[in-house]
Amino acid sequence: MMPEKENILSKRLNKVLETRFENDQDTLDALKELSTFYGENTIQARRNLRSQIEKRSLEINQNFLASFREVKDVFDNVYQDVVEMSQSIEEMTTKLKNAKAQTKQLLERTRQLQEESVKNDMKQTVSKAFLEKFQLTPEEVVILHGSKHKRDVTISEEIFVVLEKVQKIHADCKILLQAEHQKLALDIMDQMTLHQEGALERLYRWSQNYCRNVDNPEFTELVTRAMGCLQTRPVLFKNVLNEYCSSRRGVLAGEFIDALTRGGPSGNPAPIEMRAHDPQIYITDILVWLNKAIPIEKRNLDLLVKTCNKEELKEILDEALANICEGICQPLQIRIDKILNISIDASILYAVTNLIRYYKKSIGKITQGGLLNTVLEEMQTKSEQIFLLALQNQVNNALVRVEAPPRDLSPTSSIHHLISLLRDMLSTASMSEGREIDMIKIAQCVVDPLLRAVNEQASRLPPTDMAVYTLNCMYSLYTCLSLYEFMDEKIERLQAQSDAQVDTLTSEQASNLVANMNLGPIYTILQDHSHGPLSSIPGMEPSNLRNFLGKLDSVISAPDTVLLPQINLLASSTHKKVIQKRAFEVLLAIYKQLYEGVHNPVNMYENPNSILNRTPEDLSKMLMS
Amino acid sequence: MSTGQYNYSYIFKYIIIGDMGVGKSCLLHQFTEKKFMADCPHTIGVEFGTRIIEVAGQKIKLQIWDTAGQERFRAVTRSYYRGAAGALMVYDITRRSTYNHLSSWLTDTRTLTNPSTVIFLIGNKCDLEAQRDVTYEEAKQFADENGLMFVEASAKTGQNVEEAFLETARKIYQSIQDGRLDLNAAESGVQHKPSQPGRNTLNNDQQQNRYNKDNCAC
Ligand SMILES: Nc1nc2c(ncn2[C@@H]2O[C@H](COP(=O)(O)OP(=O)(O)OP(=O)(O)O)[C@@H](O)[C@H]2O)c(=O)[nH]1
Ligand SMILES: [Mg+2]
């Protein structure tokens, strides 16, 4: 034996022996099955067992096969169905796929259309709004331009609303421009410009026509607003204004002539020319009328342009008012000329001059830079000239004949007359405007010829009379001039001339005094110191000196008696006093010399105090008090 | 009244003398207005002119009497010599007669003015050289002999006019400085500081009336 074979067998045996069938379920099941058909353990049975089992197995398999064949057939049918179904489904799927694709496009379109529709709606709203905002309605166009067929000339308030709209659109276009709608904006702007020009043109014609016919300016809202609109077109604006002015110019001139020649309704107030014989009243009435009428014109003009921008208008309005006033210039000038040419009295001419000045200024505050101002200026200058000429004439006429001064050496009647004329003129002039120049001119006009006349008259008198007469005239003139301002130059001259005359008279009076008191020889001796003691000189004896003292006493007791008779004719007490005082001063000076001489022991006077008892100081007190 | 008119420290009085037609008024006018008057009427009695000048830094007002040369006014014009600090004695170089009369004018001046009065001889119309009738030399000699200052001048062109008036003023001013001229003498023709208006001869009693009217009219 081979050990190995032995070993495998033992192992198998062991394995079988070791197997525990009670624990093997499969074996148990198999055994259970076996028990159903294997009832007796015989050899036959054992021999048959195998085939029995195989038979049994075949039977089972056959059964199984049959069963499966059925199942297979069923399955085959099912399969067939499924295949068919699958095919159908496939077809359907394809169909569906197609359908689905088609629907998507449709939806897409619908959506697009919807979107577009919304957009279009928007656009329409915008367009509508835009049109409303940037275009005129046909009605508005008609309001603006009038109906084409009817050649509409009347305008209504609405035109201003539309015009405003046009302007607003035009202005709004600037925003459009910025928003890059340039072409559109420019187009609309052009369009609006055309509208505006058209409308303004229409307003212009209308206003011009309106202004051509204003007799009594009561302006409607319409015309003032039209003017307000037209202000943007200076040329048109000015044309309308010109039309207005020329209309008013005519009316005003007519009214002026009426006021002059016809007066108010049914002669009340009376025509100004009724009183043409009185230059002052006549010119006053004329100028008062102007001074009243022109402010009314100015007010009306202001009303006409009340809606306009006033700042730019000042010059134009000034010009317009000046224009309106032009019509009255000629009739005015003719009348003033007439007044100036007929009046002869200087004082009336001066009053007329001042009236012209006053009203020229007053009117000049209302209207400037026009013909009227020029005419008034010319009239003023002319009036001033004529006045001065008349004054000169009046002075010359008064002085044409050289009068002899009266005995009392007071100013002659013509000098007197001229001085009172001067006083009157100066007193009027001192209250007028620009009085300084007037007063100086008036004084010039009167004083110089007057002084010449005084010189002429005085030249025919003896020296003392001459000086007294001259001084009296100077004094009278001074009294007049010193009441007024601006006469310093003349007064300085009068002063100097008077001083000269006073000096002359002082010298005359002093010589006269010295002569009357026989002081002449004494004075001469006193000047000469070559004689030895005074007491031994003839004429200087105490007796002679006492003689002099006697005369001196009478002078002291009645100082006025020693005056030259003419000195008493001096009109000014001051002049008189000055001359007297200065003459006495001469006397005193000589007395002082004499007194000192007498009291000087060298001169050997005995008891000098008994000869000259008055000290020079005493004498001075007596004479000068 | 402005105080401005008193912005001078002295008043010098002048007198212009000489035959009629020698050009006294023209000289004055040329000096005060710097203009020539071609058609100047004869002076009737006296005319008056003023101008403020400056000498040695001092403002001086000149009060100038232009006298008539016509004989008939001789008495009238004499009054104005007395107070003159300066005398301009004028002749016309084209008319010898006017030169010949100078001695008589000089005598008048010497007797009527005071010794310190400055006398200035003017040979006027020196623009009319062609018509000259008096040589410069003889006039100069006359002036020197009499201690006068002298120029030839022309009121027409203004030549030497200013100089004559100013030179006279300088001489007067010099006399004041030298003490030769007594300012207090009434007849010196010089006033130191202007007088108050109406100080001496024209009635003080009128003073308060001045401007009363104006005050109430304003
Ligand atoms: N060529 C020339 N003419 C002069 C000059 N000065 C004066 N005249 C003329 O001479 C004339 C007389 O001049 P006036 O100044 O009036 O003479 P006046 O000395 O004042 O004369 P009376 O007043 O009469 O004393 C006038 O016609 C002047 O035009 C001058 O310097 N040259
Ligand atoms: Mg003269």
Side-chain angles (χ1 to χ4, degrees), chain A residues 529 532-536 596-605:
Chain A
H529 302 284
L534 283 176
S535 54
S536 61
E596 279 161 5
V598 170
H599 282 79
N600 189 342
V602 175
N603 290 319
M604 302 199 286
Y605 281 105

Short mmCIF file of all heavy atoms in Angstrom, two decimals, chain A residues 529 532-536 596-605:
data_model
loop_
_atom_site.label_atom_id
_atom_site.label_comp_id
_atom_site.label_asym_id
_atom_site.label_seq_id
_atom_site.Cartn_x
_atom_site.Cartn_y
_atom_site.Cartn_z
N HIS A 529 16.67 224.26 13.36
CA HIS A 529 17.31 224.32 14.67
C HIS A 529 18.54 225.21 14.69
O HIS A 529 19.28 225.21 15.64
CB HIS A 529 17.70 222.90 15.12
CG HIS A 529 16.51 221.99 15.17
ND1 HIS A 529 15.59 222.04 16.19
CD2 HIS A 529 16.08 221.04 14.32
CE1 HIS A 529 14.64 221.15 15.97
NE2 HIS A 529 14.93 220.52 14.83
N GLY A 532 19.33 229.33 17.36
CA GLY A 532 19.54 229.68 18.76
C GLY A 532 18.24 229.57 19.52
O GLY A 532 17.29 228.97 19.01
N PRO A 533 18.15 230.13 20.71
CA PRO A 533 16.96 229.97 21.54
C PRO A 533 15.69 230.43 20.81
O PRO A 533 15.69 231.49 20.19
CB PRO A 533 17.23 230.86 22.75
CG PRO A 533 18.65 231.29 22.66
CD PRO A 533 19.17 231.02 21.29
N LEU A 534 14.65 229.61 20.92
CA LEU A 534 13.39 229.89 20.22
C LEU A 534 12.77 231.20 20.67
O LEU A 534 12.20 231.94 19.88
CB LEU A 534 12.38 228.74 20.46
CG LEU A 534 12.61 227.45 19.67
CD1 LEU A 534 11.59 226.39 20.10
CD2 LEU A 534 12.49 227.70 18.17
N SER A 535 12.92 231.47 22.00
CA SER A 535 12.23 232.63 22.56
C SER A 535 12.70 233.95 21.94
O SER A 535 11.98 234.94 21.97
CB SER A 535 12.41 232.67 24.08
OG SER A 535 13.80 232.61 24.36
N SER A 536 13.87 233.90 21.33
CA SER A 536 14.38 235.13 20.77
C SER A 536 14.02 235.29 19.30
O SER A 536 14.33 236.27 18.66
CB SER A 536 15.90 235.17 20.93
OG SER A 536 16.45 234.06 20.24
N GLU A 596 7.47 220.87 23.77
CA GLU A 596 8.81 220.43 24.16
C GLU A 596 9.82 221.56 23.99
O GLU A 596 10.71 221.74 24.83
CB GLU A 596 9.22 219.21 23.33
CG GLU A 596 8.61 217.94 23.89
CD GLU A 596 8.59 216.79 22.90
OE1 GLU A 596 9.14 216.97 21.79
OE2 GLU A 596 7.98 215.75 23.21
N GLY A 597 9.63 222.31 22.92
CA GLY A 597 10.54 223.44 22.65
C GLY A 597 10.45 224.48 23.77
O GLY A 597 11.47 224.93 24.30
N VAL A 598 9.25 224.83 24.13
CA VAL A 598 9.03 225.85 25.16
C VAL A 598 9.57 225.37 26.51
O VAL A 598 10.15 226.15 27.26
CB VAL A 598 7.54 226.22 25.24
CG1 VAL A 598 7.27 227.09 26.47
CG2 VAL A 598 7.10 226.95 23.98
N HIS A 599 9.37 224.11 26.78
CA HIS A 599 9.83 223.59 28.06
C HIS A 599 11.30 223.24 28.07
O HIS A 599 11.85 222.92 29.12
CB HIS A 599 9.00 222.36 28.46
CG HIS A 599 7.65 222.74 29.01
ND1 HIS A 599 6.61 223.10 28.20
CD2 HIS A 599 7.21 222.85 30.29
CE1 HIS A 599 5.56 223.40 28.94
NE2 HIS A 599 5.90 223.27 30.23
N ASN A 600 11.91 223.30 26.93
CA ASN A 600 13.35 223.03 26.90
C ASN A 600 14.11 224.28 27.34
O ASN A 600 14.01 225.33 26.70
CB ASN A 600 13.73 222.64 25.46
CG ASN A 600 15.15 222.12 25.39
OD1 ASN A 600 15.95 222.34 26.30
ND2 ASN A 600 15.45 221.43 24.30
N PRO A 601 14.88 224.20 28.46
CA PRO A 601 15.58 225.38 29.01
C PRO A 601 16.47 226.07 27.98
O PRO A 601 16.66 227.28 28.03
CB PRO A 601 16.43 224.79 30.14
CG PRO A 601 15.85 223.45 30.43
CD PRO A 601 15.13 222.97 29.21
N VAL A 602 16.94 225.30 27.04
CA VAL A 602 17.81 225.87 26.01
C VAL A 602 17.15 227.07 25.33
O VAL A 602 17.79 228.02 24.94
CB VAL A 602 18.12 224.78 24.94
CG1 VAL A 602 18.92 225.37 23.79
CG2 VAL A 602 18.87 223.62 25.57
N ASN A 603 15.81 226.97 25.23
CA ASN A 603 15.09 228.01 24.51
C ASN A 603 14.75 229.23 25.36
O ASN A 603 14.16 230.20 24.87
CB ASN A 603 13.85 227.42 23.87
CG ASN A 603 14.22 226.50 22.72
OD1 ASN A 603 15.12 226.83 21.95
ND2 ASN A 603 13.59 225.34 22.64
N MET A 604 15.09 229.11 26.61
CA MET A 604 15.04 230.23 27.53
C MET A 604 13.68 230.92 27.60
O MET A 604 13.56 232.13 27.47
CB MET A 604 16.15 231.24 27.18
CG MET A 604 17.52 230.59 27.23
SD MET A 604 18.84 231.76 27.37
CE MET A 604 18.93 232.44 25.78
N TYR A 605 12.66 230.13 27.77
CA TYR A 605 11.34 230.71 28.06
C TYR A 605 11.21 230.83 29.56
O TYR A 605 11.56 229.89 30.29
CB TYR A 605 10.23 229.81 27.49
CG TYR A 605 10.01 229.97 25.99
CD1 TYR A 605 10.46 229.00 25.12
CD2 TYR A 605 9.34 231.10 25.49
CE1 TYR A 605 10.27 229.13 23.75
CE2 TYR A 605 9.15 231.22 24.12
CZ TYR A 605 9.60 230.25 23.25
OH TYR A 605 9.41 230.40 21.91
#
